Amino acid sequence: MTDLTDLPALSASEAAARIRTGSLGSEELVRVCLDRITAREPVVHAWAWLDPDAALAAARACDAEAPRGPLHGVPLGLKDVIDTADMPTEFGSEAFAGHLPARDAACVAALRAAGAVIMGKLVTAEFATYRPGPTANPLNPDHTPGGSSSGSAAAVADFHVPLALGTQTAGSVIRPASFCGIHGFKPTFGRYSNDGVLATAHRLDTLGSFARTVEDLLLLDAVLGDAADVPTPTPVVGLYRSEAWEEASPAMQDALEETAARLRAAGYDVIDIAAAEPFAKLAEAQAIIHKREAWLCLGEIRRTHAAKVSQLFRDFIDEGERIGAEAYAGACAVQDAGKAEEAVLFGGADVLLTPGAPGIAPEGLSATGNPRFNRAWTALGTPCLGFPGGSEAGLPLGLQFVGRSGSDRALLRQGAAMLAALA
Amino acid sequence: MTDLTDLPALSASEAAARIRTGSLGSEELVRVCLDRITAREPVVHAWAWLDPDAALAAARACDAEAPRGPLHGVPLGLKDVIDTADMPTEFGSEAFAGHLPARDAACVAALRAAGAVIMGKLVTAEFATYRPGPTANPLNPDHTPGGSSSGSAAAVADFHVPLALGTQTAGSVIRPASFCGIHGFKPTFGRYSNDGVLATAHRLDTLGSFARTVEDLLLLDAVLGDAADVPTPTPVVGLYRSEAWEEASPAMQDALEETAARLRAAGYDVIDIAAAEPFAKLAEAQAIIHKREAWLCLGEIRRTHAAKVSQLFRDFIDEGERIGAEAYAGACAVQDAGKAEEAVLFGGADVLLTPGAPGIAPEGLSATGNPRFNRAWTALGTPCLGFPGGSEAGLPLGLQFVGRSGSDRALLRQGAAMLAALA
C-alpha cells in the first residue's frame, strides 16, 4: 500500500521509476495530484483547462499497458500556448475561447510517445506577452508568480504536477521559476521544436521546462531534445554581475555573491567576468526584436480582435509597428554579433553564474515582473538553468547558470553537481 | 465588357488596380483562373486542394464589399504546409489526409485582411523536404518544377494564379522559381511570420513568395512584411560565382557572366566578389542544421506514421538523428559567424548577383533538383530575389540578387530597376 501523503511531492524521475517497477500506479499519482489541485486552485489559479476524468482515463490507460517511454504515467501540464488536439488552447485570451487545434504540437507528440499524462493547460499571460492571467504566487498569493508562463511555474511549485512546459521570449521561463522557487530550463535556441507553439517572435521564442529537481529537467530534455551525453568536465564558473547589476536588489546581489563564495569554498574555480560590448547591448536589442516580431506574428490578431484583447497588448503591438525596419535590422545585427562572439563573453568560464531576476516576486498580480536579467540570454540563445539561490521576506531569490550554446546536457549535469555541492 | 483572353496573365498589381476601380470583378478573374486550371491541371498537377465553388463565393463576397486592402479580390495559392482553417492542410503526406487546422496561419490572416481570395492549396514535397509530389514543370512536363514549393512555382508560372506563397529551408523558393522561369522572393529570415506554417528547421524555415513580376512581390511584401520604404540608392553589384562555381552548368555560367556584362553596359558598377571563409562553409552547415532540426521537428511524425511516409523521408530524418550535438553546435557556430560577418562577404557590394540553381530543371519527376546555390543564403538569412536570366533547351535559367539582411524592400526595388535595365 502506497503512502499517499508524499505523492504530490514526488519528483518526475522518482514517479517514473516507481510506475515502471509497479510500486505506484499512474492513476494513483494522478488522483493525488488532482486532489492537490482541488485544494489549492481557488488560491493559485494555475490552470486554464483541466478535465479530471480525462486525466484519470489517460492514467488508467498507462497503467493498462507496458511502459511506452521514460515518462510513462507521469502527469504534466502545458502552458496554454502549446497546441493540443484534445484540449482547448486559448493563448490566455477570450478571443480564442474554446479554440481547439487540429493537431498536437511536436513537443506534445513527443511527450505522449514518452508515455506522459497530459493533465491540462496552464495559465499564460495574454498571447505569452504581458497582460497577466489570474495566477497567484503559491508561496504568497499577494505576489505575482511571474510570467508569461505563470501557471507552469505555479503548478510545479505548488505540487500540482512535477513537470510543466512554458516558453521564454523575454524572460518567461527563468523569471517565473525564480519567483516561485523552482528550477527552470531554457534550452539552446532551437533545441526543442516550436512546431505547434504560438509564434510571438521568431528570433527569440524558446520552449522551456519547469521542475523541482534538475534531474527532472534532464529527463524532460532527453525526450524533447536528445539524450546523447557529451563530456561533462568540472566547469570553471564565471561570476557575471552583468551591465544591469545596479538593477538587482541588495538581497539578490548578496545571494549571488554568497553563492559564488560557497562554490569557491566547495572547490570550484570561480572567476569574475566583465560585461563587454556587444553583450551589454543585447537586452536592448532583445526588446526591439521582441516588439517588432510580436507585431509581425500577432498584429493580425490585434487588429481582428481589437475589442477582445487588452489595452496593454494593443499598446505592445502598436509599439512594434512603430519600430522601423532599420532599428530592427540594427537589433538583429547586435544579436548576430553577440552569438558569433559568445566565446568572448564566456572568456575562461564554462558556465556563468548570474541573477535570474532583479529580486523576489513583486507584490500584486497586475504585472509579472521585470525580465531585465533574462533578455540578453534569450537574444543570445544560450541555455539557462534557473535555481533557487536564497530568499527574502519568505520569497525565493532565483539565480541562473548560463552555458554555452549547445552545451545543454553538460550544463544540466554541471548544474546538478554544483547545486549538490551547495546543498 | 472585359476581354477575358488575357486575364490569366494579368499581374496581381494590375488585377488589384482594375478591381479597385471597378473595371474588373474578382469573380470574373477567379472564373478565368479556374478555367485555366481546369485546362492545364491534368498536365501540371499543381493543386493539392481546390474548391471552385468556394473560390467563386469568396470572389463574389469581395465584389459585394468596398476594397478591404491592397489585394482585394486577387486570387492566390498557398503551399500546403501553411495552415488554413477552411481548407485541408496535408503537408504533402497521406498521413495527414483531410487534416483541417483550427486556425489560419498569421500570413493567411494577413492576406485575408488585405482582401485576397485564397484559391486553394498547392502541392508540396512531403513535409517540405525531398519526396516530390505529382507536379510537373509547366514549361516541359517531363522535367521537375523544382521543390519543395513545387505547386506554388508551377501554378504561378502556368497562369493559374498571379501569386503564391511557399517556404524555403534549403532552396525551396528560389530553385523552383528558377526552374519555372518566374520571380521568387525569400525575405530576410524572420521578416514574414512562420506562425501556423509547418516547422521543419527553426534556424532556416523562411516563408517566401512567387509572382511573375517584381512589382507583385513588392505588393505581397507590403502585406506580409511592411510597406515602409528605405532609401534605395543605385546599388554596387557584386558578381559572386561562389565556392560552388564548378557545379553550375556551362549555360548557367554563361548566363551569369552575360547578365553581369549587361548590367555593366547599362551603367551599373559590377565588382567581383570572392568566396571567403566562413561563407564557403555555410552550405555544408545548412545541410547539417537542416537534417538535425528536421529530425527534431518531424521525428515524431516519422515514428508515428512510419508506414505512411516515404523511405526518402525516413532516411532524411534518421540521418538527422545520427548527427551529434557537437556537429550540430559546430554548424550553428558557422551560421552565427556568417551572419555576424555578413558585411565582409558583401565587401563593397550592396547586392550580389549569383546563380539561383545549378542549371535548368533536371529531367524526371522523381527528384526536385539541387539546392546547392541556395543553402548558404538560407543559412545566412539574407533576402534573395530570383529572376529568369537566360534559357537552355527551352527551359529557363534562374539567377538571383542577394541583398543584405533587412534590406528587403530596397532589394526588391533595386532588382526591379536592374531587370528593367536588362529587359
Side-chain angles (χ1 to χ4, degrees), chain B residues 9-365:
Chain B
L10 218 54
S11 74
S13 307
E14 292 165 327
R18 290 178 59 179
I19 290 169
R20 200 158 43 239
T21 59
S23 75
L24 174 67
S26 176
E27 183 183 1
E28 209 173 343
L29 178 58
V30 166
R31 201 175 286 280
V32 294
C33 287
L34 288 169
D35 289 347
R36 173 77 186 168
I37 294 170
T38 302
R40 292 285 299 167
E41 188 62 359
V43 173
V44 179
H45 302 293
W47 295 85
W49 193 88
L50 182 73
D51 179 342
D53 292 337
L56 287 166
R60 277 192 295 271
C62 285
D63 287 338
E65 64 180 355
R68 298 171 66 183
L71 292 172
H72 196 82
V74 176
L76 54 76
L78 303 169
K79 183 177 184 177
D80 203 21
V81 294
I82 300 169
D83 281 357
T84 41
D86 57 353
M87 304 172 189
T89 304
E90 300 183 339
F91 311 132
S93 171
E94 60 169 301
F96 285 83
H99 169 67
L100 187 65
R103 80 187 167 94
D104 284 336
C107 61
V108 176
L111 291 170
R112 291 193 206 272
V117 173
I118 312 292
M119 287 280 276
K121 308 303 279 287
L122 294 157
V123 169
T124 174
E126 186 183 27
F127 302 112
T129 55
Y130 290 102
R131 203 273 311 263
T135 310
N137 193 312
L139 302 169
N140 181 339
D142 294 334
H143 290 245
T144 178
S148 62
S149 309
S150 317
S152 302
V156 170
D158 204 38
F159 305 101
H160 302 186
V161 276
L163 296 173
L165 292 192
T167 60
Q168 177 158 323
T169 306
S172 293
V173 168
I174 300 300
R175 182 164 94 269
S178 176
F179 289 171
C180 292
I182 57 171
H183 295 85
F185 182 57
K186 181 191 84 67
T188 298
F189 180 76
R191 180 170 172 83
Y192 300 169
S193 173
N194 282 346
D195 177 70
V197 179
L198 181 72
T200 75
H202 295 299
R203 281 174 161 259
L204 302 169
D205 288 340
T206 312
L207 192 67
S209 48
F210 297 87
R212 295 185 300 266
T213 73
V214 180
E215 191 187 5
D216 281 3
L217 295 175
L218 269 162
L219 179 66
L220 207 46
D221 181 73
V223 171
L224 299 175
D226 72 280
D229 271 310
V230 289
T232 305
T234 300
V236 174
V237 179
L239 175 58
Y240 185 69
R241 298 180 185 85
S242 91
E243 79 289 351
W245 186 236
E246 71 287 352
E247 295 181 49
S249 71
M252 175 57 79
Q253 294 187 352
D254 289 349
L256 190 78
E257 300 287 358
E258 195 196 319
T259 300
R262 291 174 61 205
L263 282 172
R264 267 196 201 100
Y268 282 91
D269 187 8
V270 181
I271 61 177
D272 271 17
I273 300 289
E277 295 283 355
F279 310 104
K281 289 183 181 167
L282 278 173
E284 188 194 1
Q286 185 280 338
I288 292 170
I289 294 169
H290 189 180
K291 282 179 193 166
R292 167 88 176 190
E293 295 191 343
W295 163 65
L296 180 78
C297 290
L298 304 171
E300 204 52 47
I301 288 174
R302 181 250 177 272
R303 286 186 287 275
T304 314
H305 301 285
K308 289 187 169 178
V309 301
S310 71
Q311 186 63 44
L312 196 65
F313 178 72
R314 288 196 299 270
D315 290 348
F316 183 67
I317 299 300
D318 293 348
E319 271 185 69
E321 185 166 11
R322 285 192 297 270
I323 288 171
E326 228 165 322
Y328 172 67
C332 292
V334 170
Q335 183 185 28
D336 290 343
K339 288 187 181 218
E341 298 292 318
E342 183 191 288
V344 175
L345 171 62
F346 276 74
D350 302 302
V351 170
L352 303 182
L353 170 66
T354 194
I360 59 168
E363 197 166 358
L365 301 186

Side-chain angles (χ1 to χ4, degrees), chain A residues 42 62 139-140 180 198 213 225 255 282 309 335 351-352 357 362:
Chain A
C62 285
L139 302 169
N140 181 338
C180 292
L198 181 72
T213 73
L282 278 172
V309 300
Q335 182 185 29
V351 169
L352 303 182

